[in-house]
């Protein structure tokens, strides 16, 4: 993964309603890019368009191009299932599969393509992924316990392990810490800093301090009024956005005047 | 998607075409083409011969060929995962179609065969003297009997059920409510013939007449079957009414009974009425309990408490046993029409009279 | 929601409530109130009395049959053809359970498929209409099902049975002659299933397999609608987790919908079983009754169910031991369906706790 993500003139529609308008952005590979903005401004929708998850809702479609490492993921003939295998996602609330054990959760994505994995291979993948998510030490003795038996923060790290097990190129995180306590949040933020050396991470967050802590580049989304489409107002390196933004709306938002 | 698991992640080298992994999809017209081909192949096997058994065979073979051909085609062209997904879609969609077929066949047969025998005489006459020359038998006595028995059942079961539901939902009943709920649960599971046995066991003993048969006896059995349906549905509708509504009334100083009647019931009424109509539609088709309580007869009987009463379901059964299929279908048509109309009325009531904004 | 005018009218009828001190929102009590509450409570008590009466009469009017000696039964109860109460009941019970199990095995896979179709495959707009179509099946009276089953379905099924019989009978005959011990079991034990009679078809199709098929169509709607509710309650978050990993639709269903809904499916199937056990008319009209305990699935005149035996024999039964015999059979059936339904509800209760959904 060397070229990053290139979004050109992307607009996202839900049926007749235009949710996001004309986004142009380049996301650097192997870095953390944060997307901030008030509620309902389309940042989650945009994030989901990067792995075609918005198509889960009937009638959703996209105009424009999204190129991951040079490949347009919306080209005709490209299967969303395929895209999602290369672009992992971590959700707002931890969602390990309740009927599967911790080990099975980690292996869930891999097993889709690789039904007959040798036990040694599987164990290796489990350990590698859980170590990568900073969870191995805490759960290595109870890998066959159900995924839901962990605490919130541990569950979210399990979801990260599950997402990274298939070794995607990109990791999308949709407000991953919003349901967690501050200690777990910090743990996940540390994790993100480690993971960025391997994965390209795009994170949507409501927490501006979090964006300032973890990201190298930040994008500010805004919405002009109710019913209007959201759009990307400004995109620059994190320090600039928070100390010296060029748009007034950005400055108003990061200084807390609205949002 | 690569098949190997542990891949060395190469840093800073141009990735392979990660999305062009040879996963293709069959064109949209492929299933139709394969379907047509399977049908032709099956026709060829059976050489177009007619007859029910051959049609059945032809259809089954065509289906099997279709599924097999699609699977092979899909597996080779689309890959394992997509072919499994397609197989699942085919089987799941197919199971729905397979469920619709009996329903359509049944409705069609009832309509066509019943219509053949339908006439004013059918609705008017009875089966009295039907073996005589020139007699035109009918189901009039069965229709009247069904209406008698159903009406008296509903008359008892609906108030009983509604008030029980009110007690369970609106009043804090403690252990009594728990017992009642448990018993209602049991009642929903009573087999219909057992309900009939109960009435057939109890009433002759109570009345001291071992040979007692009547429409009322049938109604008693049906009350046991209908009441739990009314209780359950009414409970559900009452619970749907938001508590804020009740509290607002209490805060204004309205008595509890007034609140229940004027506020809660008023709001839940369309759902409750609709549920009662559906419950009526359910028991109107019950035959087993009526077989052994109201029995059967060839005459009109307008008395609910004396002597046997013929009802539509029992009429259909009797004519079937006697081999008079046209009459059986006629009775079946009337019965099915009654049931469908009642269901339609229930749906309309729930739809039109639903409180606005809920 | 009630309009302001309505609550004002209600306000005018506010009664004084002396002694009502339990907080501002407690209901005000009045004289009419106590009467109303009494009526409601009375209705509940009538339910208790009613069910008590059911139990009492079923038991009291049947126990002579339970305690009567075999000789008494044989002399006084005409239709038992020499069997004792428990022999007769056992044979009828066998038929009841066998037909219900056949129905369950046939209906459940279809029910799951149809429920999945409505919940996850069909376009949202049609889901309600499709559910309604399936529910229509539930509204059709069972006597009409029996009529249709014998008139329309039977001629269609007959060639299929004949084909199965032609293909499998030689297989079973080979089995009985070649596999050691099988022939001995088949010859000496009537109840041994693995015989050629298992698959041998004797027309017309008035046999228990046919009965099971008609029964399956009848219990299909109830299992389907329960499964549909269960599948619709699968948390969206789990489904998105599976899709996010790159699962196809079927893989997502296999990873989340089905495992999470497992106990719901079991409970739905058990409720369907309870329904099938209590069904009378369809089997009364399909089966040519018999009292054998064997697995001759496609032979007529072999089996019958408790419900159909009661319905067949009651019209001619004399007051006295004959009726008591039949009531005793009914009591057994009642207990059986009660146990099955009770177990089904326990499974359902545990499922809703487990998945956190409000049942």
């Amino acid at each position: 993964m060397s070229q990053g993500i290139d979004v050109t003139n992307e607009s996202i529609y839900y049926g007749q309603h235009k949710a996001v308008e004309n986004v142009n952005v380049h996301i650097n590979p192997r870095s953390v890019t944060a997307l901030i903005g008030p509620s309902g401004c389309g940042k989650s929708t945009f994030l989901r368009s990067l792995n075609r998850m918005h198509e889960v809702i009937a009638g959703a479609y996209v105009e424009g191009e999204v190129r991951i490492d040079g490949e347009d993921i919306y080209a005709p003939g490209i299967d969303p299932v395929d895209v999602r295998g290369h672009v992992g996602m971590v959700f707002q609330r931890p969602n390990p599969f309740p009927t599967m054990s911790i080990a099975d959760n980690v292996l869930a994505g891999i097993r889709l393509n690789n039904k007959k994995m040798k036990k040694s291979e599987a164990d290796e993948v489990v350990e590698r992924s859980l170590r990568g998510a900073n969870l191995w030490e805490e759960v290595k003795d109870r890998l066959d316990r159900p995924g839901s038996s962990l605490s919130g923060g541990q569950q979210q790290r399990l979801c990260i392990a599950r997402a990274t097990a298939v070794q995607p190129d990109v990791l999308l995180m949709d407000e991953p810490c919003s349901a967690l306590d501050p200690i777990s949040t910090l743990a996940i933020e540390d994790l993100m800093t480690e993971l960025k050396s391997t994965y390209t991470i795009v994170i949507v967050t409501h927490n501006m301090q979090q964006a300032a802590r973890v990201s190298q580049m930040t994008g500010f989304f805004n919405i002009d009024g109710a019913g209007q489409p959201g759009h990307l107002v400004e995109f620059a390196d994190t320090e600039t956005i928070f100390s010296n933004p060029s748009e007034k709306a950005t400055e108003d938002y990061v200084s807390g005047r609205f949002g | 998607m690569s098949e190997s698991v542990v891949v060395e992640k190469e840093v800073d080298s141009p990735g392979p075409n990660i999305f062009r992994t040879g996963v293709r999809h069959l064109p949209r017209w492929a299933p139709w083409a394969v379907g047509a081909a399977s049908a032709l192949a099956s026709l060829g096997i059976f050489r177009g011969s007619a007859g029910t058994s051959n049609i059945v065979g032809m259809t089954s073979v065509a289906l099997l060929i279709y599924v097999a051909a699609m699977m092979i085609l899909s597996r080779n062209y689309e890959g394992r995962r997509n072919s499994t997904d397609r197989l699942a879609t085919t089987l799941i969609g197919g199971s729905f179609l397979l469920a619709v077929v009996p329903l359509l066949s049944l409705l069609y047969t009832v309509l066509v065969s019943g219509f053949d025998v339908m006439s004013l005489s059918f609705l008017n006459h009875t089966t009295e003297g039907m073996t005589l020359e020139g007699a035109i038998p009918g189901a009039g006595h069965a229709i009247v009997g069904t209406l008698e028995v159903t009406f008296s059942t509903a008359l008892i079961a609906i108030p009983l059920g509604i008030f029980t539901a009110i007690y369970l939902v609106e009043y804090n009943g403690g252990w009594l409510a728990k017992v009642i709920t448990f018993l209602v649960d049991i009642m929903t599971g009573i087999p219909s013939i057992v309900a009939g046995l109960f009435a057939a066991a109890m009433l002759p003993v109570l009345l001291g007449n071992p040979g007692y048969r009547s429409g009322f006896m049938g109604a008693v059995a049906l009350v046991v079957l209908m009441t739990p349906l009314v209780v359950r549905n009414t409970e559900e509708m009452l619970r749907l009414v938001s508590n804020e509504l009740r509290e607002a009334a209490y805060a204004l100083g309205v008595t509890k009974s007034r609140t229940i009647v004027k506020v809660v019931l008023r709001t839940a009424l369309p759902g409750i009425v609709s549920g009662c109509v559906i419950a009526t539609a359910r028991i109107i088709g019950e035959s087993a309990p009526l077989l052994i309580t109201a029995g059967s007869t060839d005459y009109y009987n307008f008395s609910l408490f004396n002597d046997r009463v013929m009802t539509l379901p029992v009429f259909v059964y009797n004519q079937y046993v006697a081999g008079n299929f046209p009459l059986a279908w006629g009775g079946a048509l009337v019965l099915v029409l009654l049931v469908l109309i009642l269901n339609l009325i229930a749906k309309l009531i729930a739809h039109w009279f639903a409180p606005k904004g809920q | 929601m009630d309009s302001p005018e309505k609550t004002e009218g209600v306000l005018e009828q506010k009664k004084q409530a002396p002694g009502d001190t339990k907080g501002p929102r407690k209901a005000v009590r009045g004289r009419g109130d106590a009467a109303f509450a009494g009526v409601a409570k009375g209705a509940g008590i009538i339910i208790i009395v009613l069910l008590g009466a059911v139990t009492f009469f079923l038991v009291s009017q049947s126990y002579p049959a339970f305690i009567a000696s075999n000789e008494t039964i044989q002399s006084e109860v005409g239709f038992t053809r020499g069997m004792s109460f428990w022999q007769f009941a056992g044979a009828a019970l066998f038929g009841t359970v066998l037909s219900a199990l056949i129905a369950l095995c046939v209906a459940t896979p279809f029910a799951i498929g149809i429920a999945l179709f409505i919940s996850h495959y069909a376009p949202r707009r049609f889901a309600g209409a499709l559910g309604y179509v399936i529910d229509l099946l539930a509204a059709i009276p069972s006597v009409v099902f029996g009529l249709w089953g014998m008139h329309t379905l039977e001629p269609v099924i007959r060639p299929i049975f004949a084909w199965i019989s032609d293909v499998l009978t030689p297989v079973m005959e080979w089995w009985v002659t070649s596999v050691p011990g099988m022939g001995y079991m088949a010859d000496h034990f009537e109840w041994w299933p693995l015989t050629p009679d298992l698959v041998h078809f004797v027309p017309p199709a008035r046999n228990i397999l046919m009965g099971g098929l008609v029964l399956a169509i009848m219990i299909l709607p109830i299992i389907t609608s329960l499964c549909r509710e269960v599948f619709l309650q699968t948390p969206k978050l789990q489904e998105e987790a599976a899709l996010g990993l790159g699962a196809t639709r079927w893989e997502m269903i296999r990873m989340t919908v089905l495992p999470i809904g497992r106990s719901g499916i079991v409970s739905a199937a058990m409720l369907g079983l309870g329904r099938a056990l209590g069904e009378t008319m369809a089997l009364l009209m399909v089966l040519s009754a018999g009292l054998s305990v064997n697995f001759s699935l496609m032979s007529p005149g072999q089996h019958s169910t408790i419900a159909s035996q009661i319905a067949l024999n009651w019209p001619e039964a004399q007051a006295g031991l004959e009726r008591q015999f039949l009531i005793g059979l009914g009591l057994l059936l009642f207990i059986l369906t009660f146990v099955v339904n009770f177990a089904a509800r326990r499974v359902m209760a545990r499922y809703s706790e487990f998945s956190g959904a409000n049942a």
Side-chain angles (χ1 to χ4, degrees), chain B residues 53 81 85 92 96 98-99 105 171 183 187-188 202 210 247 250 252 254-258 287 320 339, chain C residues 10 13-14 25 28 33 36 51 57 110 113-114 130 139 148 150-151 159 246 250-251 281 285 323 345:
Chain B
S53 68
R81 290 174 63 193
D85 188 47
I92 287 177
F96 180 79
L98 214 57
S105 160
Y171 292 90
L183 293 180
M187 275 173 93
T188 51
M202 178 175 86
E247 296 203 335
Y250 295 155
L252 288 169
V254 183
T255 65
K256 185 155 188 163
S257 58
R258 269 242 149 70
S287 27
Y320 161 78
V339 167
Chain C
V10 153
Q13 291 147 23
K14 170 171 100 164
R25 294 235 173 142
V28 175
D33 225 48
F36 189 83
L51 222 58
F57 278 98
F110 281 102
I114 298 169
L130 296 176
W148 171 80
M150 288 319 290
H151 183 260
W250 169 245
E251 285 166 346
M281 294 316 289
M285 294 164 83
R323 282 202 185 166
R345 276 181 223 290

Side-chain angles (χ1 to χ4, degrees), chain C residues 273-286:
Chain C
L273 180 67
R275 262 279 265 138
L277 288 171
E279 177 52 46
T280 318
M281 294 316 289
L283 292 166
L284 185 60
M285 294 164 83
V286 168

Side-chain angles (χ1 to χ4, degrees), chain A residues 30 71 73 78-79 82-83 86 112-115 117 121 125 167-169, chain B residues 1 3 5 7 9 12-15 17-21 25 80-82:
Chain A
R30 274 182 303 286
E71 281 293 321
I73 62 174
I78 300 274
D79 191 354
D82 213 16
V83 173
H86 289 286
L112 290 176
N113 255 322
N114 217 337
K115 291 208 130 161
M117 241 189 329
E121 253 182 273
V125 170
Q167 295 182 311
D169 304 298
Chain B
M1 192 79 151
E3 288 292 312
V5 171
V7 170
K9 286 225 68 126
D12 273 337
S13 70
N17 274 343
I18 51 178
F19 298 114
R20 296 241 178 265
T21 53
H25 283 284
R80 175 183 63 85
R81 290 174 63 193
N82 280 326

Side-chain angles (χ1 to χ4, degrees), chain B residues 274-312:
Chain B
S274 166
C276 289
V277 173
I278 293 185
T280 312
R282 284 256 231 118
I283 56 126
I284 217 175
E286 288 289 355
S287 27
L290 294 173
L291 259 181
I292 63 177
T293 51
S296 44
T297 169
D298 292 321
Y299 316 100
Y300 276 102
N301 183 358
F302 295 99
S303 158
L304 200 54
F305 297 92
N306 288 327
D307 212 2
R308 299 164 163 70
V309 168
M310 180 58 109
T311 50
L312 271 173

Side-chain angles (χ1 to χ4, degrees), chain B residues 29-356:
Chain B
W29 47 263
W32 300 103
V34 176
S38 324
L40 283 172
S42 174
L43 265 167
I45 295 180
F46 282 81
R47 276 178 217 120
S49 32
T52 328
S53 68
N54 282 318
I55 294 188
V56 169
M58 249 192 291
T59 324
S60 325
V61 168
L63 285 172
L64 284 171
I65 298 180
Y66 172 79
V67 173
M70 277 305 287
M71 271 218 61
I72 297 174
L73 191 62
S74 170
R75 188 67 162 245
N76 287 321
Y77 193 76
E78 293 183 317
R80 175 183 63 85
R81 290 174 63 193
N82 280 326
S83 75
T84 316
D85 188 47
R86 186 181 284 277
L87 180 65
T89 311
T90 310
L91 290 179
I92 287 177
S95 63
F96 180 79
L97 287 176
L98 214 57
V100 172
V101 166
L103 177 66
L104 290 179
S105 160
L106 190 149
L107 288 176
Y108 175 78
T109 319
V110 170
L111 260 156
V112 169
S113 310
F115 191 72
D116 275 344
V117 89
M118 201 48 58
S119 66
L120 212 54
S121 333
F122 182 76
L123 298 174
N124 233 313
H125 292 192
T126 67
T127 47
E128 180 184 357
M130 63 184 274
T131 46
L132 298 178
E133 193 69 41
I136 305 178
H141 56 315
I143 299 177
V144 165
T146 291
L147 293 175
E148 275 177 46
V149 171
T150 309
F151 184 71
S152 28
T153 307
L155 204 60
I156 303 176
I158 291 181
L160 181 61
I162 293 184
F163 273 103
T164 305
I166 290 178
Y167 179 69
L168 290 177
V169 174
E170 305 288 332
Y171 292 90
N172 188 6
W175 66 267
L176 190 64
K178 283 206 181 64
V179 168
I180 296 175
T181 308
F182 178 67
L183 293 180
V184 169
D185 266 349
I186 298 184
M187 275 173 93
T188 51
I190 294 186
S192 54
I193 189 113
V194 175
L197 274 182
F198 156 64
M202 178 175 86
L203 282 182
V205 168
L206 284 186
L207 298 172
N209 175 6
Y212 182 70
R213 302 277 206 123
S214 73
F216 176 67
M217 203 152 129
V220 168
L222 293 182
V223 162
V224 173
L225 294 176
M226 184 173 174
T227 308
L229 301 177
V230 175
V231 172
R232 274 289 163 72
N233 173 262
T234 309
E235 258 189 295
E236 209 182 302
M237 294 298 130
L238 290 178
R239 287 190 208 278
L240 278 181
V241 176
S242 74
N243 243 359
E244 278 91 35
L245 214 54
R246 293 184 183 84
E247 296 203 335
Y250 295 155
L252 288 169
V254 183
T255 65
K256 185 155 188 163
S257 58
R258 269 242 149 70
T259 306
I260 295 174
V261 174
K262 293 236 176 233
V263 175
V264 181
L265 274 184
R266 258 253 185 68
T267 315
L269 201 61
I272 295 178
V273 170
S274 166
C276 289
V277 173
I278 293 185
T280 312
R282 284 256 231 118
I283 56 126
I284 217 175
E286 288 289 355
S287 27
L290 294 173
L291 259 181
I292 63 177
T293 51
S296 44
T297 169
D298 292 321
Y299 316 100
Y300 276 102
N301 183 358
F302 295 99
S303 158
L304 200 54
F305 297 92
N306 288 327
D307 212 2
R308 299 164 163 70
V309 168
M310 180 58 109
T311 50
L312 271 173
V314 175
F315 177 84
V316 173
Y317 174 69
N318 282 350
Q319 298 309 317
Y320 161 78
V321 166
N324 303 328
F325 274 89
L327 280 178
W329 283 116
L333 177 61
V334 178
L335 193 54
V336 169
L337 280 179
L338 274 176
V339 167
L340 289 181
I341 291 175
L342 282 175
N343 270 297
L344 194 64
I345 292 178
K347 249 214 147 36
L348 288 176
I349 291 179
H351 190 247
W352 280 345
F353 295 103
K356 303 287 180 280

